[in-house]
Amino acid sequence: MNKFTSHIMQNVVILVFMLCPASMWATAGDVNGDGVVTSSDVTAIYNYLLNNDQTFVTTSDVDGDGAITVADITFIYNILLGGTPVIDNEDELFARCYATLRSEEPINGFEQSITSFLRTMWQLNTLTTDEAYCLWFDPGINEMNTNSWGSDLPHAAGLFYRLCANIDVCNAYLANSAKHDDAHNGEIRTLRALYHYYLMDLFGNVPYNTSATVQTLMATQVPRSTVYANLLNELKACENLLVEPRTNTYGRIDKAAAWMLIARISLNQQVYATSSSTAVVNDALT
């Protein structure tokens, strides 16, 4: 990490510590095990993140699984930068992954109205066509109506940040996948693939991140064709973990959801891949 990035991170850590309510820190911020939440906890996290100083990890089992893992660091990191509460209950974290579909948790620097996944995804895909015309005068709406938008379109940035944040939530759950039911893991992996799909579809070359130790926003960008290939492999692997169609709880992912996403990706392979395959298209059609 370069000095400029390090300086920014340090300022963010200090600012977040100053602004975060004490009640939030009281539940999850004592990482050095002294029984109180102080600036030394923030210093310990900062040293680990930026300097790989692991001296504090002996008392940092914040997710309660009996071991010190990257998941503990991820939980703390999310608290620092996003205010995400620590969740050590599998059912709660599983439900939170699904809640990302309509999450309106604040993202710094953006209005809530342009970071809602469903709303902004619909706007970018529909207002830029002749299917709909929005009469609101919010910034960016007229540009989408008239296809005169550019790289400064706030909705594009808002959705990009939302998709990255939603992938991070799924990765946090999957960091402890060995503790979870295989079908649950398959559902969240499919949900994560859905978010990667929208990144690939809307933005082209994007981060493809399956690690809980790296924020997706900061992950390495890869070619669209690589994301395409990764998604097909991931979804076909998930297919073996998911329950049969119409046998899951209403609204949750099953094999049919994975099949639909595989078909959608495959039918647009001429856009995503470097070369097309008739066999892939025929398989999707059947």
Side-chain angles (χ1 to χ4, degrees):
M1 184 175 294
N2 60 47
K3 291 183 179 179
F4 178 73
T5 305
S6 176
H7 180 67
I8 291 177
M9 181 67 77
Q10 183 178 29
N11 289 335
V12 169
V13 170
I14 294 171
L15 181 61
V16 171
F17 178 74
M18 292 174 63
L19 297 180
C20 283
S23 59
M24 185 185 77
W25 286 102
T27 58
D30 179 24
V31 299
N32 64 1
D34 61 1
V36 293
V37 179
T38 66
S39 59
S40 63
D41 296 293
V42 179
T43 301
I45 298 167
Y46 174 80
N47 286 336
Y48 180 88
L49 290 173
L50 298 188
N51 302 319
N52 197 31
D53 179 359
Q54 302 185 38
T55 56
F56 87 104
V57 299
T58 56
T59 56
S60 300
D61 180 22
V62 296
D63 64 352
D65 63 355
I68 308 303
T69 65
V70 293
D72 298 296
I73 308 303
T74 301
F75 286 141
I76 298 167
Y77 183 68
N78 286 337
I79 289 173
L80 281 172
L81 296 189
T84 303
V86 170
I87 301 175
D88 58 11
N89 181 284
E90 195 270 348
D91 289 335
E92 290 181 34
L93 189 52
F94 181 74
R96 185 169 182 270
C97 291
Y98 269 101
T100 59
L101 287 166
R102 56 173 302 172
S103 174
E104 294 187 355
E105 290 182 352
I107 292 181
N108 290 341
F110 295 94
E111 292 185 13
Q112 214 167 15
S113 61
I114 64 171
T115 61
S116 169
F117 165 65
L118 290 176
R119 178 177 180 173
T120 310
M121 180 268 294
W122 180 86
Q123 289 174 325
L124 286 173
N125 277 288
T126 310
L127 296 185
T128 54
T129 71
D130 58 359
E131 293 182 63
Y133 190 94
C134 182
L135 297 179
W136 292 346
F137 295 99
D138 298 39
I141 294 296
N142 185 60
E143 286 81 356
M144 286 188 284
N145 282 333
T146 59
N147 263 328
S148 58
W149 51 271
S151 59
D152 59 346
L153 180 70
H155 299 72
L159 184 56
F160 187 90
Y161 275 71
R162 172 60 65 198
L163 290 169
C164 288
N166 287 357
I167 290 170
D168 289 340
V169 174
C170 294
N171 284 338
Y173 176 88
L174 294 167
N176 284 321
S177 60
K179 298 169 57 178
H180 309 152
D181 178 84
D182 283 346
H184 281 197
N185 289 331
E187 289 179 49
I188 303 307
R189 286 171 63 182
T190 303
L191 183 61
R192 181 180 62 185
L194 177 70
Y195 294 137
H196 276 116
Y197 159 73
Y198 277 111
L199 275 178
M200 172 189 71
D201 183 62
L202 291 167
F203 300 103
N205 301 339
V206 294
Y208 184 82
N209 181 35
T210 59
S211 171
T213 62
V214 178
Q215 278 199 316
T216 302
L217 189 63
M218 307 300 291
T220 302
Q221 188 180 88
V222 298
R224 174 183 265 179
S225 58
T226 301
V227 181
Y228 162 80
N230 288 345
L231 286 180
L232 284 185
N233 290 333
E234 175 73 349
L235 288 167
K236 289 176 181 178
C238 290
E239 181 183 347
N240 297 324
L241 301 175
L242 296 169
V243 299
E244 295 299 318
R246 299 184 180 183
T247 62
N248 209 345
T249 303
Y250 177 78
R252 280 174 44 189
I253 293 169
D254 58 21
K255 289 183 186 293
W259 295 338
M260 290 175 66
L261 188 51
I262 290 172
R264 185 166 189 171
I265 294 172
S266 299
L267 291 174
N268 286 281
Q269 65 167 309
Q270 70 273 18
V271 176
Y272 308 138
T274 54
S275 60
S276 59
S277 167
T278 303
V280 171
V281 174
N282 290 339
D283 185 54
L285 290 173
T286 57

